[in-house]
Amino acid sequence: LRSTTAGLGRRKIYSVWETIEYICLPDGALSDTESIPDDKIADPDFEESPEAYESDSSFDDDKPLAEIPKANLNHLDVEIHNIHADSDTEVPDDNEPQPGSAPVNKEFSWRQRKPPAADIDSSFRGPAFSPPPDEIPSPKWYFDQFMDKSVFEHISHQSNLYAVMKNGPELKTTPSEIEQFIGLHILMTVVRMPSYRMYWQTATRYGPIATVMGHKRFDNLRTYIHMNDNTNVKQKGEPGYDPLFKVRPVLEKVCANCLKVEPEVNHSIDEQMIPFKGKIGMKQYIKNKPHKWGIKVFTRAGVTGLVYDFEVYTGKGTVTNERGLGVAGEVVLRLVSEVPKGLNYKCFFDNWFTSPELIVELKKMGILTVATINRNRLRGCTLKSDKELSKAGRGAYEVKYEKTSGMSIVKWYDNKAVLLATSFIGPEPVERCRRWSKEKKEYVEVDRPHIVKVYNHNMGGVDLADMFAALYRIDIRPRRWYLRILYYLIDLALVNGWLLYRRHLTQKQEKKYMPLLDFRVQVADALIKVDDPTISAPSVDVRLDRCDHFPLHAEKRGRCRLCKNGCTQMACLKCKVLLCFTKDKNCFLEYHTTK
């Protein structure tokens, strides 16, 4: 048998049975014009319509080869086409992680013309932020909005209980001492040493830490610090088992405090990693993260980086596919559950979470969406191939609209094809942007659909929060995973507090703000000195009222509140702060007269 290979001008000899296989498609085979839909691979619940597999061939694929009538095969020429290069069938990126259960398939009708359902009023209808405080509070106040006194009281109680259970020394710690303990950890992120014990060693002693707490006491607190009662723990397989039991009370308290903050208009949902390489079942690996090994956290944050909600991923079973939107879709719905509905808040996320069903569901809730989407989730939306768009030139794009929901999918070709799905915005207006050209070795002007600009501007909130936390992360490396989560919550409270402080300054139209480093130092200082009655600073009104400010001989000598280098034992009776009063300088007078 002879076969002509298309486009090559040469012939190849095939056996009779090879020829029959190409034409008759025995059980389990696929023609070269049909392929398994990518959704069938990613989604075990995917149901394809039977019409998709109807063959134009007159042969019955269900018949065994012996029952196929044998025609005159001696003069049969078979033309073989290589469809892979020019095919419009797109394959998903194998390097992109997929959720365990993809959304179920629904019927969607796609068209090029924009339907009436796509014309919606996407303007924000929610309230503006509440006015800021008259006087900007201290950094410690902002920190307390996320990790308040009740957290330290709970940790203190549980740590004392745990020490008794372990037959250790009687701990007798207090909420104030736990605050000092946390404050020392924060200060250690500013002044770093290879080992935390070096802060107490003679050659490397650091006074602001070593004088607050002895190293033995610090080690005892690290050994017995606890956040839940182990007598109530459920073993794996028992009803009510919680992998995060050891940290659950503090986790829920901090999360509830984050939800109290007034939300921004634009939110992004993404993954964070708590660095950890120890032995724990919930440990994950994400190759594209700076810290590839650790505990994964699904996070919703605003454009500024302020975190509003989060959920620690504990492995299979963390989220159940209750609404048929897949595990990733359920994660999104849980994270936006506290976002006010029907006010046109905007949400942005990447292709790991995205499905057309999820975008439609969020639109019904009054939450509008822009997200990248995987090629295997287009639900029948056929777009030009990468090769066709590349021929049209860099910056070429195509858009298709869903008839009923008004959802649109835009495919834009830059260095490679990018797919985006949205419920409220389209490619217009198309703008020009500067992109680097490898061929020309220079920046070139490229057409960019408006949806791409909007997505890039609003998607980075979680990454921004990650970056702020990573600048001065608490990185004392404990073997106990729950301490890693506690450190994550402390860093989260510090970053959120600083961003809330910046929001208030912006509302007051003040451009100068305290850097994050100084903010952390002031919070650490306030926590460390929480038990010292001489360091509680009065308000400006009290300090300058010129009433009953009498000098007092303090019990201990300490640093002057006003000058940087002065040490004194004189304090103000009313303000309860140490102030220099010597022949050369009078900080006492200056403190009470100068604003």
Side-chain angles (χ1 to χ4, degrees):
L1 295 180
R2 294 172 296 175
S3 134
T4 303
T5 304
L8 298 180
R10 55 189 176 85
R11 294 177 179 270
K12 184 175 180 180
I13 305 301
Y14 286 87
S15 68
V16 173
W17 294 111
E18 285 177 340
T19 306
I20 292 175
E21 287 179 1
Y22 278 116
I23 298 175
C24 303
L25 301 177
D27 287 338
L30 291 175
S31 72
D32 60 350
T33 58
E34 294 175 345
S35 60
I36 298 176
D38 293 320
D39 273 313
K40 196 170 181 68
I41 300 172
D43 184 0
D45 299 326
F46 179 76
E47 296 179 1
E48 182 62 271
S49 59
E51 291 82 3
Y53 290 103
E54 289 182 358
S55 174
D56 293 335
S57 173
S58 60
F59 293 104
D60 185 357
D61 293 345
D62 294 329
K63 294 181 180 180
L65 290 177
E67 296 180 17
I68 299 175
K70 294 185 179 180
N72 185 4
L73 301 176
N74 295 327
H75 304 286
L76 184 64
D77 286 347
V78 182
E79 191 175 32
I80 309 294
H81 295 274
N82 181 6
I83 68 160
H84 299 292
D86 297 325
S87 173
D88 288 343
T89 305
E90 300 172 6
V91 295
D93 185 358
D94 293 335
N95 295 324
E96 184 65 34
Q98 301 294 320
S101 178
V104 297
N105 185 46
K106 292 185 178 180
E107 291 296 329
F108 292 98
S109 177
W110 303 94
R111 57 171 61 180
Q112 289 185 339
R113 182 176 297 178
K114 189 175 183 180
D119 292 321
I120 64 170
D121 180 11
S122 60
S123 57
F124 179 62
R125 306 191 191 108
F129 293 138
S130 300
D134 295 334
E135 292 287 338
I136 296 296
S138 66
K140 174 65 163 55
W141 182 88
Y142 285 103
F143 178 77
D144 288 342
Q145 302 310 300
F146 301 95
M147 189 166 279
D148 53 29
K149 290 281 186 182
S150 64
V151 174
F152 299 111
E153 290 171 357
H154 179 83
I155 294 176
S156 171
H157 174 72
Q158 293 298 331
S159 299
N160 288 329
L161 184 63
Y162 181 68
V164 173
M165 289 175 57
K166 299 296 287 185
N167 295 320
E170 196 173 5
L171 200 59
K172 290 186 178 179
T173 188
T174 63
S176 296
E177 189 178 38
I178 296 297
E179 287 190 65
Q180 288 181 327
F181 178 73
I182 298 301
L184 292 178
H185 277 80
I186 297 172
L187 192 56
M188 288 175 182
T189 67
V190 178
V191 183
R192 296 183 180 271
M193 291 191 183
S195 169
Y196 78 88
R197 289 185 174 86
M198 295 179 70
Y199 293 102
W200 287 272
Q201 292 174 1
T202 303
T204 56
R205 179 182 174 85
Y206 183 63
I209 289 177
T211 57
V212 174
M213 185 181 296
H215 74 91
K216 289 185 178 179
R217 183 60 176 174
F218 187 85
D219 283 342
N220 275 342
L221 289 175
R222 286 192 77 240
T223 301
Y224 295 106
I225 190 168
H226 228 64
M227 288 160 277
N228 214 344
D229 187 356
N230 279 1
T231 58
N232 298 324
V233 66
K234 303 288 186 182
Q235 299 301 320
K236 190 171 183 178
E238 295 181 2
Y241 167 71
D242 182 9
L244 296 171
F245 173 82
K246 287 182 177 291
V247 75
R248 178 65 69 185
V250 177
L251 195 68
E252 290 184 347
K253 183 65 177 177
V254 175
C255 187
N257 287 337
C258 291
L259 289 171
K260 293 178 183 177
V261 182
E262 295 172 314
E264 304 165 44
V265 179
N266 299 315
H267 298 253
S268 62
I269 293 176
D270 207 347
E271 301 156 329
Q272 288 182 298
M273 290 292 282
I274 302 174
F276 185 71
K277 290 188 177 180
K279 293 182 179 180
I280 183 175
M282 68 181 76
K283 185 173 64 176
Q284 296 284 306
Y285 174 83
I286 302 180
K287 68 175 182 178
N288 295 325
K289 293 293 183 181
H291 295 278
K292 296 175 174 55
W293 288 100
I295 301 169
K296 183 162 66 175
V297 184
F298 295 117
T299 305
R300 172 171 61 87
V303 177
T304 60
L306 202 153
V307 173
Y308 296 99
D309 200 0
F310 58 90
E311 181 172 358
V312 178
Y313 180 73
T314 58
K316 187 177 180 181
T318 303
V319 182
T320 56
N321 188 13
E322 299 174 355
R323 286 167 278 199
L325 293 172
V327 173
E330 292 292 334
V331 169
V332 173
L333 293 181
R334 284 167 67 158
L335 289 176
V336 302
S337 61
E338 298 297 327
V339 176
K341 308 301 186 292
L343 300 178
N344 285 349
Y345 281 93
K346 315 295 192 302
C347 192
F348 302 81
F349 40 87
D350 62 27
N351 54 2
W352 194 88
F353 302 94
T354 313
S355 67
E357 293 85 356
L358 175 61
I359 293 176
V360 172
E361 183 67 23
L362 290 172
K363 187 176 181 180
K364 291 178 182 178
M365 298 164 58
I367 299 175
L368 305 179
T369 307
V370 176
T372 54
I373 186 169
N374 279 338
R375 299 171 180 179
N376 63 338
R377 298 185 184 177
L378 296 182
R379 301 296 186 260
C381 179
T382 56
L383 296 163
K384 292 180 180 178
S385 67
D386 293 2
K387 187 174 182 179
E388 288 179 290
L389 286 178
S390 65
K391 287 180 180 179
R394 192 172 177 183
Y397 70 92
E398 184 185 14
V399 59
K400 288 286 184 71
Y401 297 92
E402 206 282 314
K403 178 180 178 181
T404 306
S405 64
M407 172 178 49
S408 61
I409 292 180
V410 178
K411 184 173 184 178
W412 177 57
Y413 192 85
D414 186 19
N415 288 320
K416 61 179 182 179
V418 179
L419 285 165
L420 298 106
T422 177
S423 58
F424 76 99
I425 198 171
E428 304 294 337
V430 178
E431 302 171 343
R432 303 284 286 177
C433 65
R434 295 178 72 238
R435 306 289 288 172
W436 178 256
S437 173
K438 292 182 179 179
E439 293 79 13
K440 298 181 179 180
K441 305 296 182 183
E442 63 181 12
Y443 285 100
V444 295
E445 295 287 328
V446 175
D447 286 340
R448 179 181 62 184
H450 187 57
I451 184 176
V452 178
K453 178 182 177 181
V454 172
Y455 180 82
N456 288 340
H457 181 72
N458 295 286
M459 180 53 199
V462 177
D463 291 335
L464 192 60
D466 242 354
M467 185 270 289
F468 286 140
L471 289 174
Y472 313 104
R473 192 192 304 275
I474 299 175
D475 59 357
I476 296 178
R477 300 179 181 178
R479 293 183 179 178
R480 289 162 290 167
W481 59 267
Y482 53 87
L483 288 187
R484 277 290 187 179
I485 296 182
L486 175 62
Y487 296 159
Y488 163 78
L489 296 175
I490 296 168
D491 288 328
L492 174 64
L494 287 164
V495 172
N496 268 13
W498 179 66
L499 292 171
L500 185 60
Y501 152 79
R502 287 186 59 180
R503 177 192 290 184
H504 288 165
L505 287 180
T506 303
Q507 288 179 275
K508 286 178 167 290
Q509 298 182 348
E510 296 183 18
K511 296 182 179 179
K512 292 185 177 180
Y513 60 87
M514 186 187 308
L516 177 58
L517 179 61
D518 294 344
F519 186 91
R520 292 180 71 102
V521 169
Q522 290 202 24
V523 172
D525 187 63
L527 289 170
I528 288 170
K529 298 178 179 177
V530 68
D531 222 13
D532 189 346
T534 64
I535 54 86
S536 299
S539 65
V540 177
D541 295 335
V542 173
R543 178 164 63 88
L544 302 178
D545 64 4
R546 303 195 179 191
C547 179
D548 294 335
H549 294 283
F550 299 112
L552 177 71
H553 191 76
E555 294 183 3
K556 295 190 296 184
R557 183 178 178 85
R559 187 164 302 218
C560 176
R561 183 74 183 185
L562 189 62
C563 62
K564 296 182 178 179
N565 301 319
C567 287
T568 181
Q569 205 163 353
M570 178 174 288
C572 174
L573 177 64
K574 185 175 182 178
C575 299
K576 295 187 174 7
V577 294
L578 296 172
L579 295 163
C580 293
F581 184 26
T582 65
K583 180 180 178 181
D584 298 327
K585 55 183 176 181
N586 191 344
C587 295
F588 190 93
L589 176 63
E590 186 179 351
Y591 184 78
H592 294 108
T593 56
T594 305
K595 188 172 182 178

